[in-house]
Amino acid sequence: MDITTFISNHRSTLLIADYNTYRTQLSRQILSTRKRLGRATPRREKFALKAITAEDVGGNREFAHLLLLTAERAWAHAMHVKTSHTEDATGKGITGSTRGYVISRLAKAAKTARDLVGMLNERSNSKASEYDLLEGRAYAASLAGAEEFEKESGGDQESGEKRWHECLKQYSEARVIYGALYEKEKKEVYREILANTVDPTIRYAAYQAHLSRTIAIPTVAKRFFPKDNAELVKMVEQVDQYALKDKPVPKTEAEKQASPQDVPNSVTWRGRKANIVDASIGQALASVSAAEARLRSYLSSNPSAPNKDKAAAYDDVLVASQDAADATKRATDELEKEKVDEGDPRMQDLRVTSLAVNYDLVSWRVGRNRVLIGAEDDGMKFEPQQRKKPRRSRKDGTDHQIREEGRGHKLARLRERVVLYDATIQSVNSVKDLRGAMRDAKFVEELDGKANYFRALKYLNISYSHSLLGNHVNALALLRQAQDLARHPSSSSTKTATDDAPPTLDLQQSVSSNLQTHVSSLLSRTHALVELHNLEAASAAACAKNAAHAAPLVQNLNSYPALGTQVDLTKLVTYPPKVEPVPVKPLFLDVAWNYIDYPGRKGEVEQKPVVNGVQEEKKAEPEKKKGWFGFGRG
């Protein structure tokens, strides 16, 4: 039948409407259901009550829905009258007659729900399962508890305490049943009913019954559960064997992770120990410890998982931490309503607990952002992503060429990082708004150091985007700001971050030094690029200024271009060419050849001719001039 889901779906109307609108809507649904079932009274006929039996419920589930809608309409009517008088501007509140009317509406709703439980108990005729019967009993118990709650509001102190015990008894029955069903089926609807309606009412009733705040709500529910009903106890234990008793101590590591952790009794914050004055806070902190153990196990067993999957594993820790913060705020509000002095030890412990719990909540949020950015270096380095290779090969059988990541995609990734850095910085600064945080000057200094660390990373990643666009001057200015911010220490003294711990706001000692080294190297490189671009721009301007007087490149091949005479690729030669003298063949003058006797060169002795046996002297002939200018080699 899904009784709980049916009621929860109908009450979702209250999110956008009031109780009177909800009651009107239920009246229309009841009328249409009666017409479909043939139970509506025709016009001009006298009304005759037709009782619903277990056989009717077994034959058609809409008969059970008709009873549920009737009970809901009576409850909505009571809540409408109560809220309308509570918000009355006269300040009189709910008077005796009005209170009696509200109680009568709640009594009618509880009676209708008990009638449905009686029909479901005839399981042979109603064909109801054990889950249907348990859900019906839990719904009837919650309505009966609401009736007892209203009865107590106008009673005296002695009779009021007795009524509070009856109220606790009814709500404890609903709490144990819903808790057992949640442990079995893990439906969110059961958890919402426990968190929004049952648990807050039990906590308030336990306070009015003078029970200690340190007693946990499940313990109160187990104490006031009607254990004399053996049949009910048996059905509950069949669903969850530990619904009415404590779970055994886990022995293996898997059982420790699956079972809830021990409820802590104190919280330690920066060397100060504060007692937990409310049991709901201890339960929430135990849930945080269990969720943290599961997160640590997932991260250690899946080191190569995508960043989105790792960040999704933080959801359970964030939800548990938020529940702990809400429980701390509720306990603080209750003490403030009681006008407890700030010097009271309970209030002092709650202030310290609130600061510790909210800091942990912010720390987990920052850790999730760090995982999304890249927990290895917090986004300090930016490397292009490797695109996935298509599974299918080309039609010609060749492999696909892996193209480099485009500039637009790189800029989009950098933009996502900057958004996460902004959210992280805002979360860190929100810790300062917590009460008592600004009084600790050293703690505020640590928060500023951590915020500066993420600001430096933000400026660093923005400089990457300017470098991709070619704006090296802007990148240089951003890197200079990042260097100034990275010089501030960002180490944490609240907790010591270890290598195997999940990323949180607590930073390791080496992160600041690594960031300073990386930013300094990038600053030097970007500074050099800016200087090169400036020299190139100056040379280009000087070249443009002196371009008309500079000689063409063909005439200056033996000289290196200096500043002001940069190579102009548009003036390589003179065109059209001009008629100019050009040396073609050089002159070689070797005058010393005729006057120097080189080694290996011997002079020739001239012989006189012999005539008739007598050697005659040869007449000297004038030497002929050789060469162009009358001298040369002989």
Side-chain angles (χ1 to χ4, degrees), residues 474-493:
N474 295 344
L476 180 63
L478 289 166
L479 288 173
R480 180 63 180 175
Q481 292 290 333
Q483 187 184 40
D484 294 339
L485 291 172
R487 290 173 181 172
H488 297 278
S490 59
S491 60
S492 173
S493 63

Side-chain angles (χ1 to χ4, degrees), residues 25 74 439 585:
Q25 179 182 356
R439 298 178 183 177
K585 183 176 181 181

Side-chain angles (χ1 to χ4, degrees), residues 370 373-383 417 421 453-454 457 460-461 464 511 514-515 518:
R370 291 179 64 188
I373 295 170
E376 292 79 9
D377 55 1
D378 295 327
M380 184 173 59
K381 298 179 182 178
F382 184 73
E383 298 178 355
R417 284 188 178 184
Y421 286 133
Y453 170 75
F454 290 106
L457 290 171
L460 175 62
N461 282 266
Y464 287 145
V511 292
N514 293 339
L515 180 60
H518 184 69

Side-chain angles (χ1 to χ4, degrees), residues 518-566:
H518 184 69
V519 171
S520 298
S521 62
L522 281 180
L523 186 65
S524 301
R525 179 179 178 273
T526 308
H527 195 182
L529 288 175
V530 171
E531 289 295 331
L532 289 175
H533 285 292
N534 290 338
L535 289 174
E536 184 179 0
S539 298
C543 180
K545 183 178 180 181
N546 302 325
H549 307 285
L553 179 63
V554 71
Q555 298 181 13
N556 297 316
L557 293 178
N558 296 329
S559 62
Y560 188 81
L563 182 63
T565 58
Q566 186 184 15

Side-chain angles (χ1 to χ4, degrees), residues 18 36 438 449 506:
D18 55 2
R36 286 197 304 270
M438 295 300 294
D506 302 314

Side-chain angles (χ1 to χ4, degrees), residues 603-620:
E604 297 180 356
V605 179
E606 296 182 354
Q607 299 290 336
K608 293 182 180 181
V610 178
V611 179
N612 298 323
V614 180
Q615 186 177 6
E616 295 183 358
E617 295 181 358
K618 187 179 180 180
K619 295 182 180 180

